[in-house]
Amino acid sequence: MGFPDFKPPQHVIDEMMAAVASDNHLMHQYTRSSGHPRLVSALSRLYSPLIGQQLDPNKNVTVSVGAYGVLFCAVQGLINPGDEVVIIEPFFDCYEPMVKVAGGIAHYCPLRPTKTEGVTSSKDWILDPKELESKFNQNTKALIVNNPNNPLGKVFSRDELLMMADLCKKYDTICLSDEVYEWMVYDDNKHIKIASLPGMFERTVTMGSAGKTLSATGWKLGWGIGPEHLIAPMQVLHQNCTYNCPTPVQEAVAGALEFEIDQMDQPDKCYFFSLAKELQPKRDKLAKICQEVGLSPVVPEGGYFMMVSTGNLKTDLPDDGTDDPRDFKFVRWMTTKLKLAAIPPSAFYHQEHKHLGENYVRFCFIKKDETIEAAGDILKKWFGSVKK
């Protein structure tokens, strides 16, 4: 599903082995609650130039159990009952319940496709500025945006981010920017951090992920970067929730990041950059397969997921006894009949906008070539049987 079927780089694995086998007994004990000192120092070194701020490792950085945990700490630590939150759709499906648990009131603004026929791009999905501003008011506490977006793969342009930033400043709103796919950007697209835009650092929490960055999702380690007045409540929340992340994992990630930072002037050797170069041909292979069997891919600018339109297929879906959206029914049919798994994108929408996702499925292409080819064989065999 939504994770690699290959191992992280060998040096990342070696860092974990070294941490666990170390003679230093502290590698097996609690470390600093809001971030292992070596790790937050590495994160400060990495993100200071990317955001354009000199980050204090202890005050501007916090960690938790994956970016999921960081987002939980941000929402629970910064959103109070009655606060309103604007969520851009499609959104990672934990955003909505997290806001509700915090007592917040969520409002939703969808990216809408400007093209729906044939092969399209995630760039073709755009926000309506007037619609987005209509979701803001004097009670709006936060905007949540995922860039690059899951499941769409959209990489927001500078103009789109400036439009969001202007609204945040106009309505004195904080921004929770989920950027876990920050390094996976393709073609000539560029990932821009909204926190780097004028007047945005002091109102933005930028979230990242060791699992996504290093292809080690099972390590469950994430981080938040931002001003002290936003990071401090998150640190308090984390300390009184999970308290601590595993010390050897933090030590290993710190060593791995240090290694990659030292390679950043050699893009072919640095995993931050080389992973995207490895994934782009996989993206293109999956898009080509989908076209060959009558599916219309939305080619992503970033991330490692691809939304694929199934709207033109004439498949009769069996009645599964539910009133779920079409994509849920299609995925159940495909999993049962073809033994091919995907995710229904309408799960990434609030109820009123689920129709925008119900004629798509989400495939994952951070897989070995043989895995993608095996999926292609399944689809081609099915398509051949349909044509007969």
Side-chain angles (χ1 to χ4, degrees):
M1 300 300 289
F3 51 82
D5 64 350
F6 49 82
K7 296 190 297 183
Q10 188 58 47
H11 80 87
V12 178
I13 298 171
D14 292 343
E15 291 285 356
M16 177 68 90
M17 294 172 64
V20 173
S22 172
D23 291 335
N24 183 355
H25 69 281
L26 292 177
M27 288 297 101
H28 303 278
Q29 311 307 327
Y30 298 130
T31 187
R32 177 174 170 269
S33 173
S34 52
H36 187 51
R38 184 182 177 189
L39 175 61
V40 294
S41 294
L43 290 167
S44 173
R45 182 182 164 201
L46 175 61
Y47 282 93
S48 288
L50 296 177
I51 292 179
Q53 300 283 333
Q54 186 54 51
L55 300 171
D56 183 315
N58 296 319
K59 296 178 179 179
N60 299 133
V61 183
T62 193
V63 305
S64 193
V65 184
Y68 206 107
V70 175
L71 182 65
F72 180 82
C73 291
V75 174
Q76 299 300 315
L78 300 172
I79 304 301
N80 295 312
D83 285 344
E84 299 188 15
V85 178
V86 178
I87 301 176
I88 293 176
E89 296 176 302
F91 56 85
F92 188 51
D93 57 356
C94 71
Y95 297 175
E96 182 177 37
M98 283 186 183
V99 169
K100 288 182 176 180
V101 168
I105 301 167
H107 300 284
Y108 308 88
C109 186
L111 289 155
R112 299 182 186 275
T114 58
K115 299 178 182 178
T116 56
E117 297 297 324
V119 179
T120 61
S121 166
S122 57
K123 193 186 297 284
D124 298 323
W125 293 60
I126 62 173
L127 290 168
D128 180 331
K130 291 183 179 179
E131 182 180 15
L132 181 59
E133 183 164 12
S134 73
K135 308 298 180 180
F136 284 74
N137 59 56
Q138 69 274 13
N139 297 317
T140 305
K141 183 67 174 288
L143 167 70
I144 304 180
V145 59
N146 183 200
N147 181 34
N149 178 273
N150 171 19
L152 187 56
K154 181 178 176 65
V155 176
F156 289 95
S157 69
R158 178 176 293 274
D159 286 345
E160 289 172 317
L161 292 171
L162 282 169
M163 180 260 291
M164 296 179 212
D166 287 346
L167 290 174
C168 288
K169 289 181 284 187
K170 180 177 179 178
Y171 291 92
D172 193 20
T173 297
I174 64 175
C175 179
L176 304 182
S177 187
D178 178 352
E179 302 182 10
V180 298
Y181 303 101
E182 60 191 303
W183 300 106
M184 292 165 240
V185 178
Y186 312 116
D187 304 312
D188 295 325
N189 296 293
K190 182 179 179 182
H191 180 260
I192 299 169
K193 295 188 174 299
I194 195 169
S196 71
L197 300 180
M200 285 304 291
F201 175 72
E202 57 264 34
R203 61 177 68 250
T204 302
V205 177
T206 301
M207 285 164 269
S209 163
K212 302 299 192 298
T213 299
L214 300 172
S215 298
T217 61
W219 290 22
K220 287 301 293 179
L221 187 67
W223 47 80
I225 310 290
E228 183 179 5
H229 69 275
L230 297 181
I231 294 298
M234 295 170 59
Q235 292 174 330
V236 171
L237 199 291
H238 172 77
Q239 182 172 349
N240 291 280
C241 183
T242 53
Y243 176 64
N244 199 249
C245 295
T247 302
V249 174
Q250 295 191 69
E251 176 75 6
V253 170
L257 292 178
E258 290 167 357
F259 179 92
E260 299 299 347
I261 292 169
D262 290 340
Q263 306 293 320
M264 288 183 74
D265 61 346
Q266 303 178 71
D268 290 340
K269 294 184 178 180
C270 178
Y271 198 64
F272 296 156
F273 307 115
S274 65
L275 178 59
K277 290 183 179 180
E278 180 183 347
L279 291 179
Q280 184 164 329
K282 297 177 185 291
R283 178 201 68 171
D284 296 344
K285 180 192 290 284
L286 179 59
K288 183 174 183 292
I289 289 170
C290 290
Q291 293 174 66
E292 290 173 350
V293 299
L295 300 172
S296 299
V298 180
V299 179
E301 302 158 271
Y304 54 61
F305 298 112
M306 181 183 295
M307 280 178 48
V308 177
S309 174
T310 64
N312 292 329
L313 296 181
K314 305 304 181 183
T315 302
D316 292 326
L317 300 178
D319 182 0
D320 61 4
T322 75
D323 58 358
D324 288 339
R326 179 181 179 276
D327 56 333
F328 273 79
K329 295 175 181 289
F330 187 91
V331 166
R332 290 192 190 109
W333 169 83
M334 186 170 66
T335 304
T336 303
K337 181 76 173 179
L338 304 184
K339 309 302 181 186
L340 187 63
I343 294 294
S346 68
F348 297 83
Y349 289 88
H350 181 60
Q351 188 63 41
E352 65 179 308
H353 296 139
K354 285 188 180 297
H355 66 279
L356 292 172
E358 68 176 352
N359 285 323
Y360 296 86
V361 295
R362 189 198 77 174
F363 288 128
C364 175
F365 58 86
I366 190 167
K367 303 292 183 182
K368 296 176 183 176
D369 286 343
E370 53 263 39
T371 304
I372 297 174
E373 290 163 3
D377 291 342
I378 292 173
L379 287 171
K380 289 173 184 176
K381 182 178 179 181
W382 163 74
F383 185 64
S385 66
V386 172
K387 289 179 66 177
K388 293 178 180 178

